[in-house]
Amino acid sequence: MADEYDKDTEDLAGLTDDERRKLGRSPDPLPPGERAPKATPPRPVAVSFWLWLAGGAVLVLSYVQLLTSKSALVNQIVTASADPKVTPESITAGVTALLWYLLGGAIVFVLLFLLFAYKAREGTRSARTVLTVLPIVMVLMIMTLAPIINYLTLVAVLLFVIALILMYVPSVAGYFPKAGRKP
């Protein structure tokens, strides 16, 4: 067992980090005090990272915009409400609380997008997988609250879709290698 491990480490000696990544292995460990070299992602991955960042900024901006124009939203809900037990004050309080929760949720999603986009930019395949699932969860959550979306939210979703597509173009397949089967 130890002989197999020694043989594997000898086979990987002298390979660059990119060559090791293509084999499904992690980069060489660094001695203490040395800095890791920066990964140079392919152009589509780098553009994708910036699109995740821009989409996140637009998403947060969309909920800030909804929060600042909540009076129009409240008026729309009050006129559509047929229940006499529901007062405009309760609608205002509910809409305000909902919009603050949505803004907080958008900030959490953006932070997750940025974390995993950063890791994907470094070539981590699992980060790309998480970035595939997170927007789907976000869109499902947005769809449940369909009456309270605006055009900026749709622009953010479009930016996320483009960023995701760029992470799956064939030219970047080697940058996200499958994990090796051997430990």
Side-chain angles (χ1 to χ4, degrees):
M1 184 66 121
D3 292 336
E4 285 181 30
Y5 178 75
D6 291 339
K7 183 180 179 234
D8 286 343
T9 55
E10 287 175 14
D11 291 343
L12 298 174
L15 296 179
T16 66
D17 287 348
D18 286 337
E19 290 169 335
R20 289 175 62 91
R21 182 183 288 120
K22 285 180 183 174
L23 294 174
R25 304 300 293 235
S26 61
D28 278 331
L30 297 173
E34 281 192 32
R35 300 188 107 184
K38 293 282 184 188
T40 306
R43 185 161 178 79
V45 174
V47 170
S48 174
F49 173 79
W50 292 108
L51 286 175
W52 287 108
L53 181 69
V58 170
L59 184 66
V60 169
L61 183 65
S62 74
Y63 287 108
V64 168
Q65 190 264 337
L66 275 174
L67 197 57
T68 58
S69 65
K70 77 174 177 185
S71 61
L73 183 61
V74 168
N75 290 338
Q76 180 184 4
I77 294 173
V78 167
T79 56
S81 176
D83 190 1
K85 295 178 186 176
V86 179
T87 64
E89 293 80 24
S90 65
I91 291 174
T92 302
V95 167
T96 303
L98 178 63
L99 290 176
W100 278 107
Y101 285 128
L102 289 173
L103 178 61
I107 291 170
V108 169
F109 269 105
V110 167
L111 291 175
L112 288 171
F113 288 151
L114 293 181
L115 169 69
F116 289 108
Y118 178 79
K119 295 302 286 178
R121 187 174 68 171
E122 291 180 342
T124 307
R125 185 181 180 94
S126 59
R128 182 177 71 164
T129 304
V130 170
L131 284 172
T132 303
V133 174
L134 271 179
I136 294 170
V137 171
M138 184 193 74
V139 167
L140 289 175
M141 291 177 73
I142 288 174
M143 286 174 53
T144 61
L145 304 167
I148 5 183
I149 62 171
N150 60 10
Y151 69 96
L152 287 175
T153 307
L154 298 176
V155 169
V157 170
L158 179 65
L159 289 172
F160 294 144
V161 168
I162 294 169
L164 189 59
I165 289 170
L166 286 174
M167 295 182 82
Y168 281 95
V169 295
S171 65
V172 301
Y175 193 68
F176 297 107
K178 290 183 180 180
R181 300 286 181 217
K182 296 179 184 178

